[in-house]
């Protein structure tokens, strides 16, 4: 059978310190006796699901319990005679999983599917029977959970196991919610397994299922799974942490007194709020003990303040920071900028006159529900606009997670070339603890991990078409593709017209998302010659020199003097100019706005009057800045030639972060044509700026 079966008394679940306060636990022996009694009369719920019904009504008072009754009766009759390894009737497992979800506030459809989640795999019940009795939605979820349960969780099969799990569950987050609750119950009852099997299951839970619970925002499941894994994989550290908590239990706890002071402050301010002391779970205590050293009484818990409206959260914050001494470095506003997993709260810390520092979390009751239950608190995230409309099981479902990381996982897992690559990037993706949202130029949004670059944005928006990306504008300003993005940035990606262009190998140094890294690596593997070209050492600047020289068209009031136009400002008619005598008897000509003019005067260079010849032709040096692409030099030269301008010389510097600088010395037949020439050069694809040197 798919669910692990062990003796619950042998597992840390039996230890009081691991139990979450305020959460009921199933009496498996009582449930077993109730289950063995078989069906009850049609006018009442079976005693065995009384816990589930009570927890469900607490969140959904108007829920129809008849469907749960029918689901339980089908599950109980189907599993009758099957026993867990600990000796309880097998029905106790789906009951326990369903109770976990009911306590989190799952809607009726999820609970129905949870009761039936092992029937198709372990009994004679078919998916067609489930559909006929409970509808397409329940059938769809049960089918997804069944596919996950059939996956081989062998030690050598982890990468492919979780690729299959994502495919099986990714189209409906409720499937993943049931899987997480199923794993939590199995972890609670893992004690009689062989130590090596306990360790293997705990490692899989730690590496993927706990990060998935974090991503789904189901903190209640995540924290308990962390404690159970901690007890198995790190027994010595677990025991020392348990001893630390036990020692604290015998001391005076300052947090209740601080909570009373907070209640008084808020009551006097007229703010209706519920103030609680929330003990830290084992892993949290272990983490802060490693960072803070010796712990004080206020370190073993936090103060939670629940209010009605968002505005009340900030009102509470104002009162706390007025009446207590705030620890400014501890303030975080996750209401204005929610976390990637729907989490919203205000975090702060305040110091009391006695010298204690208490961490405080402020949130609304709705935020609290979402913080504990994550996507489970969304109800049915796939509900159709019209209640009577039937959902198509094969239809692509909208991703309810913010801002769509689950869809991204499903997309890039199809492109991962091998299981090892998939496993590596999956763990890297799940390890990301923060996401940012950036806006596209067309008004859409992109969800990216913190630290993502324009390269990541390009592949998130354009897929493989991003191979031809040549640059980006961030908040209206041109920037390199390697530039890191911040939450709220607006990004416009610039693509080359030449679809044959590809990414440079150094893009991998700046790509953070699996989609970008896999796509870039695949392209480089498919084009080894092009990849080698992009990684060669920087070449010397490419210079192209025209056949004709040509003299300057400025005249100095100094007989027989050689006149040179300054390269720093490249004056052309009708610029106002100034001349200075330099070594060798030459006269150098600058625009009067040039910074070199002041320097010449400061060092005492002799000023020489200069004027322009009557002829309209002139020589000018222009700088063209562009994003690198094939044939760019040829296209720029052609654009210059179309304007009737002669290229005296051209220098192309090696690309730097995908950008190329071109320096052209040009002979114009008429200085009046300079603005049109610069416009023509700017119109060449890939060129983003043209200026006089």
């Amino acid at each position: 059978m798919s669910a692990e079966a062990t003796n619950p008394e042998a597992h840390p679940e039996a230890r009081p310190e691991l139990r979450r306060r305020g959460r009921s636990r199933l009496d498996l022996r009582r449930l077993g006796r109730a289950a063995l009694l078989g069906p009850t009369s049609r006018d009442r719920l079976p005693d065995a699901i009384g816990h589930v019904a009570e927890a469900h009504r607490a969140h959904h008072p108007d829920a129809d319990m008849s469907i749960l009754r029918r689901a339980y009766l089908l599950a109980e009759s189907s599993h009758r005679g099957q026993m867990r390894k600990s000796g309880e009737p097998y029905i106790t497992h789906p009951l326990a999983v369903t109770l976990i979800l009911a306590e989190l506030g799952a809607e009726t459809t999820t609970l129905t599917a949870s009761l039936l989640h092992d029937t198709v795999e372990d009994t004679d019940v078919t998916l067609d029977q489930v559909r006929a009795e409970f509808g397409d939605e329940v059938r769809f979820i049960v089918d997804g959970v069944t596919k996950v349960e059939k996956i081989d969780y062998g030690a050598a099969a982890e990468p492919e196991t979780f690729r299959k799990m994502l495919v099986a569950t990714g189209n409906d987050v409720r499937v993943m919610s049931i899987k997480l609750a199923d794993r939590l119950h199995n972890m609670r009852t893992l004690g009689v397994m062989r130590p090596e099997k306990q360790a293997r299951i705990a490692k899989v839970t730690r590496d993927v299922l706990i990060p998935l619970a974090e991503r789904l925002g189901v903190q209640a499941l995540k924290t308990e799974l962390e404690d159970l894994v901690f007890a198995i994989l790190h027994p010595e550290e677990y025991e020392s942490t348990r001893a630390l908590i036990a020692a604290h239990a015998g001391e005076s706890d300052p947090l209740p007194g601080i909570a009373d002071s907070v209640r008084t402050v808020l009551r006097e301010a007229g703010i209706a709020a519920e103030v609680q002391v929330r003990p830290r779970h084992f892993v949290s205590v272990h983490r802060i003990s490693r960072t803070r050293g010796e712990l004080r009484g206020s370190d073993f818990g936090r103060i939670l303040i629940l209010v009605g409206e968002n505005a009340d959260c900030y009102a509470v914050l104002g009162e706390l920071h007025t009446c207590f001494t705030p620890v400014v470095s501890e303030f975080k506003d996750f209401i204005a900028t929610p976390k990637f997993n729907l989490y919203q709260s205000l975090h702060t810390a305040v110091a009391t006159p006695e010298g204690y520092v208490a961490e405080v979390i402020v949130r609304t009751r709705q935020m609290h529900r979402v913080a504990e239950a994550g996507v489970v608190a969304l109800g049915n995230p796939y509900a159709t606009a019209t209640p009577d409309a039937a959902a198509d099981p094969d239809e692509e479902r909208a991703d309810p997670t913010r801002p769509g990381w689950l869809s991204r996982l499903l997309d890039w897992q199809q492109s991962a070339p091998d299981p090892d690559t998939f496993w590596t990037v999956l763990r890297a993706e799940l390890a990301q603890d923060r996401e940012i949202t950036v806006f596209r130029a067309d008004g859409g949004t992109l969800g990216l991990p913190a630290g993502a670059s324009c390269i990541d944005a390009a592949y998130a928006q354009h897929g493989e078409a991003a191979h031809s990306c040549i640059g980006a504008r961030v908040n209206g300003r041109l920037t390199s593709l390697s530039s890191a993005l911040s939450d709220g940035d607006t990004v416009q990606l610039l693509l080359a017209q030449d679809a044959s262009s590809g990414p440079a190998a150094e893009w991998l140094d700046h790509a953070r998302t699996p989609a970008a890294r896999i796509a870039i690596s695949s392209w480089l593997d498919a084009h080894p010659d092009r990849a080698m070209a992009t990684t060669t050492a920087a070449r010397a600047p490419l210079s192209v020199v025209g056949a004709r020289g040509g003299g300057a068209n400025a005249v100095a009031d100094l007989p027989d003097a050689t006149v040179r136009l300054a390269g720093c400002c490249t004056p052309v008619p009708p610029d106002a100019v100034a001349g200075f005598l330099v070594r060798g008897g030459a006269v150098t000509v600058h625009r009067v706005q040039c910074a070199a003019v002041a320097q010449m005067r400061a060092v005492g260079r002799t000023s020489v009057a200069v004027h322009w010849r009557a002829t309209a032709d002139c020589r000018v040096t222009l700088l063209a800045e562009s994003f690198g692409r094939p044939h760019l030099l040829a296209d720029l030269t052609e654009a210059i030639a179309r304007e009737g301008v002669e290229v005296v010389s051209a220098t192309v510097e090696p690309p730097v972060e995908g950008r190329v600088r071109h320096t052209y010395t040009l002979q114009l037949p008429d200085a009046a044509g300079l603005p049109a020439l610069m416009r023509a050069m700017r119109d060449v694809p890939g060129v983003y700026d043209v200026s006089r040197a």
Side-chain angles (χ1 to χ4, degrees), residues 388-432:
D388 296 333
D392 183 356
D394 298 323
E395 183 181 350
E396 184 70 20
R397 299 182 175 216
D399 183 357
T401 60
R402 178 190 182 272
W405 65 269
L406 191 56
S407 294
R408 295 203 307 273
L409 287 182
L410 289 171
D411 289 340
W412 65 254
Q413 69 84 22
Q414 297 175 357
S415 305
D418 58 78
D420 290 336
T421 300
F422 165 77
W423 184 243
T424 300
V425 294
L426 171 64
R427 294 179 66 173
E429 172 80 0
L430 293 178
Q432 296 286 345

Side-chain angles (χ1 to χ4, degrees), residues 444-497:
T445 60
L446 298 172
L448 300 169
S453 66
C454 295
I455 294 171
D456 298 302
Y459 282 95
Q461 179 173 350
H462 297 293
E464 291 188 357
H467 292 331
S468 62
C469 191
I470 56 175
R473 292 182 184 272
V474 178
N475 302 325
R477 298 173 64 91
L478 283 159
T479 187
S480 65
L481 287 173
S482 61
S483 298
L485 297 169
S486 300
D487 199 41
D489 281 347
T490 298
V491 183
Q492 178 186 4
L493 287 314
L494 308 176
L495 303 183
Q497 293 181 338

Side-chain angles (χ1 to χ4, degrees), residues 230-410:
F230 183 45
I232 294 172
L233 297 183
H234 306 282
E236 294 181 0
E237 293 177 338
Y238 168 81
E239 286 299 330
S240 64
T241 304
R242 185 186 64 79
L244 190 64
I245 294 174
H248 165 69
E251 300 174 354
S252 176
D253 188 348
L255 285 178
I258 299 173
D260 287 338
S261 300
V262 170
R263 291 188 189 97
T264 302
V265 167
L266 299 182
R267 184 169 56 251
E268 292 176 352
I271 301 174
E274 179 183 350
V275 182
Q276 305 175 7
V277 175
R278 298 258 293 184
R280 292 182 183 274
H281 65 107
F282 271 48
V283 172
S284 179
V285 172
H286 174 67
R287 286 171 181 160
I288 65 169
S289 68
R290 297 186 65 179
T291 57
R292 300 180 186 177
E294 185 177 354
L295 300 183
R296 305 186 65 189
S298 58
D299 293 327
F300 288 87
R302 290 180 287 191
I303 293 176
L304 173 66
I305 302 175
L306 301 179
V307 294
E309 304 292 337
N310 287 19
D312 295 335
C313 295
Y314 293 98
V316 168
L317 185 70
E319 293 297 326
L320 291 176
H321 286 188
T322 300
C323 300
F324 300 90
T325 302
V327 182
V328 178
S329 60
E330 295 294 323
F331 173 67
K332 298 180 181 66
D333 187 346
F334 295 118
I335 295 179
T337 55
K339 288 188 178 182
F340 57 82
N341 58 0
L342 310 173
Y343 180 88
Q344 289 183 287
S345 291
L346 295 178
H347 287 208
T348 189
V350 295
T352 68
E354 296 77 22
Y356 291 109
V357 174
E359 294 184 30
V360 184
I361 300 173
V362 187
R363 58 175 69 136
T364 66
R365 290 176 178 83
Q366 175 60 22
M367 290 176 191
H368 180 60
R369 184 171 173 234
V370 174
E372 290 290 295
V375 294
V376 178
L378 299 178
N380 180 1
Y382 311 102
T384 55
T386 54
D388 296 333
D392 183 356
D394 298 323
E395 183 181 350
E396 184 70 20
R397 299 182 175 216
D399 183 357
T401 60
R402 178 190 182 272
W405 65 269
L406 191 56
S407 294
R408 295 203 307 273
L409 287 182
L410 289 171

Side-chain angles (χ1 to χ4, degrees), residues 4 148 151-163 165 179-180 182-184 186-187 190 195-213 225-226 228-230 232-233 423 426-427 430:
E4 304 292 349
V148 174
I151 295 171
D152 177 18
Y153 283 81
E158 286 180 342
E160 199 58 33
T161 291
F162 284 98
R163 186 198 292 263
M165 189 190 79
K179 176 59 186 174
L180 289 171
D182 176 86
R183 175 54 62 95
L184 175 57
N186 287 335
M187 287 293 297
L190 202 61
E196 59 272 19
K197 187 169 185 180
Q198 289 187 41
R200 180 177 63 79
I201 294 174
K203 287 177 182 177
V204 172
T205 303
R206 176 198 63 192
D207 290 344
V208 172
L209 290 176
I210 287 176
L212 283 176
L225 283 171
E226 281 185 328
L228 294 168
V229 167
F230 183 45
I232 294 172
L233 297 183
W423 184 243
L426 171 64
R427 294 179 66 173
L430 293 178

Side-chain angles (χ1 to χ4, degrees), residues 4-223:
E4 304 292 349
T6 64
N7 179 5
E9 296 297 334
H11 188 267
E13 180 198 12
R15 300 170 184 166
E17 66 271 16
L18 277 183
R19 297 180 181 175
R20 295 184 61 86
R21 295 185 182 180
R23 175 178 294 181
S24 61
R25 284 285 183 266
L26 282 176
D27 181 344
L28 296 180
R29 290 181 174 81
R30 187 184 71 81
L31 281 179
R33 290 193 298 271
L36 288 173
L37 294 176
T40 61
S41 61
R42 302 183 65 89
D43 59 349
R44 61 187 292 267
L45 286 170
D47 291 339
I49 58 170
H51 287 71
V52 173
E54 181 182 353
H56 191 37
R57 286 195 183 101
H59 294 279
H60 304 277
D62 300 326
D64 180 9
M65 297 295 170
S66 63
I67 187 173
L68 291 181
R69 180 184 187 279
R70 289 188 286 115
Y72 167 75
L73 293 177
L74 176 59
E76 189 279 328
S77 61
S78 302
H79 289 297
R80 190 175 298 166
Q82 297 176 351
M83 309 297 285
R84 303 197 85 207
K85 292 181 181 179
S86 56
E88 289 95 5
Y90 191 81
I91 188 62
T92 58
H93 171 68
L95 276 171
V97 172
T98 306
L99 177 61
I100 291 169
L101 294 169
E103 289 178 334
L104 293 174
E107 40 83 46
T108 308
T109 301
T110 303
L111 300 185
T112 304
S114 177
L115 284 168
L116 301 170
H117 78 268
D118 279 335
T119 55
V120 173
E121 180 187 5
D122 293 340
T123 75
D124 294 332
V125 175
T126 66
L127 288 172
D128 289 338
Q129 286 178 273
V130 173
R131 176 195 283 119
E133 185 72 19
F134 302 101
D136 283 328
E137 283 289 296
V138 173
R139 182 259 182 209
F140 183 88
I141 299 172
V142 171
D143 184 34
V145 178
T146 301
K147 289 176 180 176
V148 174
E149 297 295 347
K150 288 181 178 179
I151 295 171
D152 177 18
Y153 283 81
E158 286 180 342
E160 199 58 33
T161 291
F162 284 98
R163 186 198 292 263
K164 293 176 181 177
M165 189 190 79
L166 280 175
V167 172
T169 66
N171 212 27
D172 195 317
V173 294
R174 293 173 294 181
V175 175
M176 201 172 291
S177 299
I178 294 174
K179 176 59 186 174
L180 289 171
D182 176 86
R183 175 54 62 95
L184 175 57
H185 182 243
N186 287 335
M187 287 293 297
R188 286 175 178 174
T189 57
L190 202 61
V192 297
M193 291 287 180
R194 298 188 309 276
E196 59 272 19
K197 187 169 185 180
Q198 289 187 41
R200 180 177 63 79
I201 294 174
K203 287 177 182 177
V204 172
T205 303
R206 176 198 63 192
D207 290 344
V208 172
L209 290 176
I210 287 176
L212 283 176
E214 172 77 8
R215 284 288 173 135
L216 291 173
V218 194
Q219 294 296 319
L221 299 188
K222 179 226 173 190
T223 54

